[in-house]
Amino acid sequence: MITAFFRTIILYFVLMAGLRLMGKRQIGELEPSELVLTLIISDLAAVPMQDFGIPLVYGVLPIVTLLCLSMILSFCNLKSVRFRSLLCGQPAMIIREGRLVQGAMAKNRFTVDELYEQLRGQGITDLASVKYAILETSGKVSVLPYTKDSPVTPKVMGAEVSDDVTLPVLLINDGHVMSENLHQSGYNETWLTKQLQERRLTSPREVFLLTVDETGSVTCVAKEVAS
């Protein structure tokens, strides 16, 4: 039992390290080569977890080998456009000026149902409003509507507006003070204590969320009292 426990933990961290090397992507955003690699690695990890007769190194070594291969392929992708096109494929235009490019859809085995599902997800129901739609190598569709069908912006209207976009910085996360964020924002513990006192809070442990933006605006959410 103890052996199974430690073998599982070791393999878990090896897999996590491997996935971090592959980058921060969701399953739906993986390239074909990355998806295949993920499936193979998960299968390799399952065998030494279940069969204690197999030395752990026999499970770790193939995983490390595949991860090294993945890093080599990634390096080749960065250096060679032709290799990247061969391994990952190329984006395909499936709508041009409101008309379906049926040949591109057939080549990529992309159905009309899948296309409409992607369009509805982006709030588009009329093909005629789409100037270009591109099927990316990840399987997602990038849609560029006509200007007249695009959301109205102040720039389009010629209106002068002030830039009020701010980036909140997290200072307290579920009762824990993020000291590095606090100091990088130009504040200290004294300022933080004052903010809590103004809201009748005695400790950061009573705070679920506290942020501050570059204008000095503070957002504070106290923890709910358990009933």
Side-chain angles (χ1 to χ4, degrees), residues 79-204:
K79 296 298 182 180
S80 173
V81 176
R82 182 174 298 179
F83 183 84
R84 181 165 62 248
S85 175
L86 178 65
L87 186 66
C88 304
Q90 292 181 326
M93 186 173 297
I94 55 178
I95 297 180
R96 184 192 299 273
E97 297 182 348
R99 296 185 178 183
L100 294 175
V101 184
Q102 299 181 29
M105 293 182 65
K107 182 179 179 180
N108 289 276
R109 294 174 295 280
F110 196 72
T111 67
V112 173
D113 292 334
E114 292 172 321
L115 173 61
Y116 268 98
E117 179 182 350
Q118 295 264 12
L119 293 179
R120 288 194 300 269
Q122 301 184 47
I124 296 175
T125 57
D126 185 7
L127 284 178
S129 67
V130 179
K131 187 169 185 179
Y132 301 114
I134 301 167
L135 178 62
E136 307 292 357
T137 57
S138 64
K140 291 191 174 183
V141 175
S142 300
V143 179
L144 302 175
Y146 282 97
T147 302
K148 62 183 178 63
D149 296 305
S150 301
V152 177
T153 64
K155 182 178 181 179
V156 173
M157 299 294 294
E160 293 291 337
V161 295
S162 59
D163 184 7
D164 59 353
V165 177
T166 60
L167 180 63
V169 178
L170 186 62
L171 301 185
I172 298 181
N173 182 3
D174 197 8
H176 298 282
V177 177
M178 315 298 288
S179 299
E180 184 175 351
N181 291 352
L182 179 66
H183 296 147
Q184 286 182 353
S185 300
Y187 301 104
N188 53 33
E189 286 74 9
T190 303
W191 174 88
L192 184 60
T193 301
K194 182 179 179 181
Q195 295 298 318
L196 297 180
Q197 291 174 347
E198 291 178 356
R199 292 162 176 80
R200 298 182 180 179
L201 299 169
T202 59
S203 170

Side-chain angles (χ1 to χ4, degrees), residues 60-79:
V60 174
L61 185 59
I63 293 175
V64 173
T65 301
L66 287 174
L67 293 177
C68 292
L69 176 62
S70 176
M71 295 180 66
I72 293 173
L73 293 177
S74 297
F75 179 79
C76 293
N77 281 341
L78 290 173
K79 296 298 182 180

Side-chain angles (χ1 to χ4, degrees), residues 1-11 48-54 56:
M1 184 64 70
I2 296 178
T3 301
F5 176 76
F6 284 107
R7 286 167 70 100
T8 301
I9 289 179
I10 292 172
L11 288 168
M49 284 185 186
Q50 299 171 356
D51 190 350
F52 298 157
I54 300 178
L56 184 59

